[in-house]
Amino acid sequence: MGWVTIDKDKCSECGICALRCPFSFSKQDSVVTAHADENSCSLCGHCVSLCPEGAIVHHKMDMSNFVEIGDNATFETDAFIRFIRARRSHRHFKDKDIPREILEKLIDVCRYAPTGGNAQTVRAIVAQNPKKRQKLSDLTVDFFIQMGEGAEKTLEEMKGRETESIASLETMQILANYKNRLSMARAAGYDPVFYKAPAVVIFHSHSQTRTPKDDCVIASTTMSLTARTMGLEATYIGLFEMAAKMYQPVSEELKLPPGHEVYSVVIMGYPKLAYLRTVDRNPIKTRWE
Ligand SMILES: Cc1cc2nc3c(=O)[nH]c(=O)nc-3n(C[C@H](O)[C@H](O)[C@H](O)COP(=O)(O)O)c2cc1C
């Protein structure tokens, strides 16, 4: 049996499947046939989703997870834009755990986010244990202290030389500043990486897929926005992403599957602060052609 079969009693031979996916379907002399296999089908499920008669069965996919969309899956545009504009990066959270079923729901929604070539290789680590979170935070600070010390040394060596580019000088200065800021914050008992958030969600993917970074960022954004509908707020943590990529003690702690890398990290929790106004941001410079 092929990957896809068409129930001929239901099929109206409309050919929408062949229009959408000429690789796995064909329509000739008003007869539609399916020939989906591993060479032609990316498991996108569009054929099943589009078929007006519900005549298509995909044998490699869970057919019970194709649910009627109905006509209420839209939002009032201005309300949706207000929702987007009201999102803020939160760094102060209530001392309140996020229930497991809520986290499961938030991880589950990520499976419906798009991935390049429908690769679906995004995975997540949810760190809720305060000791684990502290350890990952400490390792990240250690990493930036090391990087900062190296940068300070380089800046010293660069002094008086005109050969260095402004960009590399700036990078060194940023790293040196990070070192000072993070180490001072940690010494004061503050968590400058995860802000003691009740959940840290680490998105990783196999690096040898088409778009691993995009896939993970889209998943983490999907999760973060969904979380807002549940009274949770989230913040991207690029500092940890960098440490996870570049500092072996962090990658050892994460125990990622072979070939995987961290591409997006988000903290989440119930916010302590309520933002009362939207904030100003630069307009997107656009060239209309
Ligand atoms: C990719 C990315 C990485 C970020 N990394 C950090 C981080 O490591 N620590 C942090 O406190 N905020 C981090 N942020 C949050 C930004 O500082 C924040 O989005 C920006 O200041 C704008 O504020 P807003 O999100 O409230 O609009 C990150 C944001 C993005 C998009």
Side-chain angles (χ1 to χ4, degrees), residues 87-89 91 193 195 235-240 279 281:
R87 179 211 56 80
R88 290 277 68 78
S89 293
R91 299 175 178 89
V193 179
Y195 309 101
T235 295
Y236 297 95
I237 302 297
L239 286 183
F240 180 73
V279 297
R281 291 285 182 263

Side-chain angles (χ1 to χ4, degrees), residues 110 113-124 202-221 236 241 245 256-265:
C110 298
T115 54
N118 203 27
Q120 301 182 73
T121 59
V122 174
R123 296 193 196 179
I202 299 159
F203 289 88
H204 57 99
S205 166
H206 199 289
S207 59
Q208 296 303 310
T209 57
R210 287 192 210 176
T211 52
K213 172 79 176 166
D214 309 58
D215 299 350
C216 286
V217 172
I218 295 169
S220 64
T221 302
Y236 297 95
E241 186 193 329
K245 276 208 171 69
L256 299 181
H260 274 237
E261 275 184 42
V262 171
Y263 291 105
S264 189
V265 179

Side-chain angles (χ1 to χ4, degrees), residues 95-117:
D95 189 11
K96 180 180 166 190
D97 284 342
I98 307 172
R100 175 68 177 249
E101 61 273 20
I102 289 193
L103 285 168
E104 283 174 359
K105 199 169 193 160
L106 287 170
I107 295 294
D108 192 59
V109 73
C110 298
R111 70 199 275 201
Y112 302 111
T115 54

Side-chain angles (χ1 to χ4, degrees), residues 161-228:
R161 271 197 256 150
E162 288 186 6
T163 48
E164 309 300 338
S165 75
I166 300 287
S168 67
L169 275 173
E170 273 177 6
T171 309
M172 293 300 146
Q173 199 55 62
I174 288 169
L175 286 172
N177 291 344
Y178 265 142
K179 180 204 132 198
N180 296 332
R181 265 176 41 199
L182 294 177
S183 54
M184 274 164 62
R186 177 165 69 178
Y190 189 68
D191 172 0
V193 179
F194 300 127
Y195 309 101
K196 296 193 164 69
V200 179
V201 188
I202 299 159
F203 289 88
H204 57 99
S205 166
H206 199 289
S207 59
Q208 296 303 310
T209 57
R210 287 192 210 176
T211 52
K213 172 79 176 166
D214 309 58
D215 299 350
C216 286
V217 172
I218 295 169
S220 64
T221 302
T222 301
M223 184 191 75
S224 304
L225 291 176
T226 309
R228 296 207 66 237

